Amino acid sequence: MVELIELSKTYQSKNKTVHAVDNISLKIENGEIFGIVGYSGAGKSSLLRCINMLEKPTSGQVLIDGTDITKLSLPDLRRLRQSIGMIFQHFNLIANRTVAGNIAYPMEVAGKSKAEIANRTAELLELVELSDKANVYPAQLSGGQKQRVGIARALANDPKLLLCDEATSALDPKTTRSILNLLKRINQQLGISIVLITHEMEVVKEICHRVAIMSEGKIVETGTAFQIFANPQEEITKGFVNSVLDIQLPAHLLTDKGDNKQLIKVVFKGKEAEEPIIDSMLRNFSVKANFLHARIDYIQDTPMGVFVLELAGDLAERERAIAFLDRETAGTEVIPYVS
Ligand SMILES: Nc1ncnc2c1ncn2[C@@H]1O[C@H](COP(=O)(O)OP(=O)(O)OP(=O)(O)O)[C@@H](O)[C@H]1O
């Protein structure tokens, strides 16, 4: 549905050139919730805003259902934008319009009839559970309620795609969860594809199907949310994952215990956690295992178990045991000792 081909966005200021988006190619499928993760300045907002041409790309193509929107005339682009909703970190509501007035606004711009606008506004207020706030002004709402209005407004013209620019970054954890649940419901019930940018891996863990990690204008790694959590490849991705699945071991467990021991992290996915894999390893190889850490997280509905073991035995046996675990689990990684 959305395909970015060799997309770049460069900003020129007086004495420097910033490659905010640097030759990115990416496909986002219909019905997906796709997360773009990166630190501040990585280029996430620039990339997201190229998808609806709020930023004009310097080069490359943005295909929406096969149409290159970088080539559209202004009237065609305006029409297309009605099929792409957007929500913002700071909500961007119109202060002197009521909640209903904010939701009605994009429909007024699109030239819908009064009756149609009234019906749709009532429907959307119900969807975001704010029917009792129709005549209230934004200043009287909490942050979570403001974002619900932002979401209703973004859905007013029945978009196929919703772009979310750090939609929960200004909200507390409980409100974040309720907004993420609403986005998940919109995706599942209305079939709307969602592209969101975030620096919070909790958001990815809760709702994203697939993720791209962005750094210095480039995509450095992509995968399903589960792959990214279970088996991050790049250092920056590992940093993001560890911010959520922090494994804190006491210092004495991390210091070198001699030649015959090593620490390994093993990740189990879904049903694997129910198989006696560690038991098989202990029976098939001459190693001993001491559990130092265990936790189970849910990446949406898929359980992921993370275990840290201290493995003892001859080097050759340990290597065979680790190769076995690597084959049988979602991922096995040696954790280096610190001296
Ligand atoms: N209009 C602009 N003019 C000049 N430079 C810009 C402009 N917009 C963004 N940049 C620069 O482009 C780079 C990427 O910015 P962008 O806002 O896209 O990143 P981001 O990952 O969304 O970060 P943040 O989360 O802080 O917004 C940054 O170095 C930023 O300073």
Side-chain angles (χ1 to χ4, degrees), residues 209-230:
H209 302 130
R210 282 198 307 137
V211 199
I213 310 292
M214 193 169 179
S215 172
E216 295 179 359
K218 294 186 175 5
I219 301 292
V220 294
E221 188 166 354
T222 51
T224 64
F226 197 91
Q227 283 165 344
I228 292 291
F229 274 100

Side-chain angles (χ1 to χ4, degrees), residues 52-54 74 76-85:
N52 61 359
M53 295 279 288
L54 280 181
L74 207 54
D76 284 344
L77 186 60
R78 282 208 192 100
R79 250 191 309 279
L80 174 110
R81 281 215 187 104
Q82 288 174 13
S83 65
I84 306 177

Side-chain angles (χ1 to χ4, degrees), residues 11-13 18 20 38-47 55 166 197:
Y11 298 106
Q12 294 287 355
S13 55
V18 180
Y39 293 114
S40 185
K44 307 178 298 295
S45 289
S46 302
L47 177 62
E55 290 287 357
E166 296 275 8
I197 62 174

Side-chain angles (χ1 to χ4, degrees), residues 47-58:
L47 177 62
L48 193 75
R49 293 162 72 87
C50 283
I51 298 179
N52 61 359
M53 295 279 288
L54 280 181
E55 290 287 357
K56 191 170 167 28
T58 309

Side-chain angles (χ1 to χ4, degrees), residues 247-259:
I247 299 174
Q248 296 278 7
L249 292 176
H252 73 275
L253 292 175
L254 283 167
T255 47
D256 203 339
K257 304 278 176 38
D259 286 345

Side-chain angles (χ1 to χ4, degrees), residues 81-143:
R81 281 215 187 104
Q82 288 174 13
S83 65
I84 306 177
M86 187 160 186
I87 58 173
F88 305 89
Q89 179 176 5
H90 297 296
F91 326 119
N92 296 11
L93 301 181
I94 305 167
N96 60 3
R97 276 185 169 237
T98 60
V99 164
N102 268 278
I103 298 172
Y105 183 71
M107 294 184 272
E108 291 168 15
V109 172
K112 303 261 170 80
S113 73
K114 277 212 163 102
E116 204 178 342
I117 293 175
N119 279 339
R120 181 75 180 136
T121 302
E123 211 173 89
L124 287 163
L125 281 167
E126 206 176 310
L127 176 77
V128 300
E129 294 167 352
L130 284 179
S131 300
D132 57 333
K133 301 283 184 203
N135 299 315
V136 157
Y137 286 88
Q140 296 162 265
L141 300 177
S142 69

Side-chain angles (χ1 to χ4, degrees), residues 250-314:
H252 73 275
L253 292 175
L254 283 167
T255 47
D256 203 339
K257 304 278 176 38
D259 286 345
N260 290 328
K261 287 185 177 172
Q262 69 192 119
L263 294 182
I264 56 169
K265 182 178 106 179
V266 190
V267 180
F268 292 91
K269 177 183 176 182
K271 280 194 80 63
E272 281 168 4
E274 295 163 15
E275 305 289 328
I277 294 172
I278 299 288
D279 185 55
S280 298
M281 176 191 78
L282 294 173
R283 277 188 289 108
N284 287 315
F285 307 98
S286 298
V287 290
K288 287 184 175 155
N290 188 16
F291 280 89
L292 302 181
H293 169 100
R295 68 179 278 170
I296 293 186
D297 281 271
Y298 285 83
I299 312 299
Q300 281 119 76
D301 295 328
T302 311
M304 179 178 95
V306 178
F307 298 85
V308 176
L309 308 177
E310 185 178 64
L311 208 59
D314 286 351

